[in-house]
Amino acid sequence: MLEAKSLSKTYSNGVHALNGLDLTVRDGELCCFMGPNGAGKSTTINLFLNYIQPSDGAALVDGISVCGEPLETRRRTAYVPEQVALYGTLSAKQNITFFARLAGRTGAIDYEHWLDLVGLNADVLSRRVQSFSKGMRQRLALAIALLKGARNLLLDEPTSGLDPKAAAAFVDLLTRLRDDGYAILISSHDLFRVTEVADVVAIMCQGKLCAKLEGSELERCDINALYLNTVDEHTRPPSALREERIA
């Protein structure tokens, strides 16, 4: 489970990147984190990973403070960035082995199991990663992330740059993981693909949670219209809002 409790981040230059975020992603739940660039999505993920320190509030993983016990919370989280950093000249098997050892994993690795879990065939094990499509690299990165045994997944724009078929397959994979009990937080601009399977949609604007929908609310609303209206309302300058009210 991932929890943000009044989570805030103000940088040294005075920029308020995140303002009092309250958000919970439970086990067996997929939360789609949406918003324009600079809305606070990546800042939130970085706070959960302890890459940066909060100015106020707390980030919790399975009820454990990220700041208080960073090593334990990192052990419980798996992260896949938008730009996957794998070694192209190494094979899939060599990449898995390297990152597993780097994470402290010892003993034998069931390579075929982890590839099968993310929908890759065992015959790619010996192939150099530089020959993989972006969708295949994303799947391999997810397999490596899952190998550490974490049950909380953080993904930053996982479908960015994927063709429609690859994006659909990747989202189907995340759905299966959600159904298996993983807590999944996805930062995405993919209104149509990801929100089809999301249990919760959280819309961020200028560092604040501006709208949150879940369950039956998602089925009843036009998520595209809601997103555009919410972003427009919270990003227009105050003068424009005053002129609109006068008109």
Side-chain angles (χ1 to χ4, degrees):
M1 183 167 67
L2 301 164
E3 296 176 90
K5 293 187 174 182
S6 300
L7 191 60
S8 299
K9 178 62 181 179
T10 300
Y11 289 100
S12 57
N13 61 2
V15 172
H16 300 290
L18 196 64
N19 295 291
L21 175 65
D22 288 302
L23 182 70
T24 299
V25 185
R26 298 173 180 82
D27 296 340
E29 194 169 73
L30 191 156
C31 176
C32 182
F33 211 36
M34 314 199 80
N37 293 333
K41 305 185 302 298
S42 294
T43 295
T44 301
I45 289 177
N46 288 334
L47 286 165
F48 273 117
L49 294 169
N50 197 45
Y51 290 167
I52 56 178
Q53 297 295 304
S55 303
D56 200 3
L60 306 174
V61 177
D62 294 336
I64 302 170
S65 168
V66 171
C67 290
E69 299 186 53
L71 294 180
E72 178 61 22
T73 55
R74 282 186 183 178
R75 188 182 68 79
R76 294 168 179 261
T77 55
Y79 172 53
V80 179
E82 178 180 358
Q83 299 298 328
V84 174
L86 299 173
Y87 291 97
T89 57
L90 299 182
S91 69
K93 182 176 182 179
Q94 289 171 325
N95 269 279
I96 293 173
T97 302
F98 174 78
F99 285 106
R101 299 293 182 258
L102 192 64
R105 174 89 179 226
T106 59
I109 299 173
D110 188 347
Y111 296 96
E112 293 188 12
H113 165 75
W114 295 105
L115 289 181
D116 182 66
L117 183 64
V118 297
L120 289 174
N121 296 321
D123 58 9
V124 306
L125 272 172
S126 59
R127 284 177 52 185
R128 290 188 179 184
V129 170
Q130 63 190 13
S131 71
F132 284 19
S133 67
K134 182 170 183 180
M136 292 174 66
R137 292 196 300 273
Q138 289 285 69
R139 286 171 177 268
L140 179 59
L142 183 57
I144 291 170
L146 294 173
L147 183 60
K148 66 189 291 190
R151 303 286 294 182
N152 300 282
L153 307 184
L154 298 162
L155 300 102
D156 195 359
E157 297 290 347
T159 61
S160 175
L162 300 184
D163 63 65
K165 183 178 180 180
F170 195 83
V171 170
D172 286 344
L173 166 60
L174 296 180
T175 304
R176 293 199 300 273
L177 292 172
R178 182 272 313 277
D179 293 342
D180 193 36
Y182 286 80
I184 306 174
L185 176 61
I186 303 175
S187 168
S188 178
H189 287 110
D190 191 343
L191 281 170
F192 303 102
R193 183 71 63 190
V194 178
T195 54
E196 287 180 356
V197 296
D199 300 293
V200 179
V201 171
I203 301 176
M204 298 288 294
C205 299
Q206 298 181 336
K208 297 181 181 179
L209 179 61
C210 298
K212 179 183 174 185
L213 297 95
E214 52 190 315
S216 59
E217 293 177 309
L218 285 170
E219 299 173 3
R220 295 194 304 265
C221 81
D222 180 343
I223 189 65
N224 182 55
L226 175 67
Y227 175 81
L228 293 176
N229 291 336
T230 300
V231 171
D232 182 57
E233 178 182 348
H234 288 85
T235 55
R236 277 181 292 175
S239 59
L241 290 174
R242 286 197 299 271
E243 290 173 4
E244 181 179 286
R245 292 191 183 102
I246 293 172

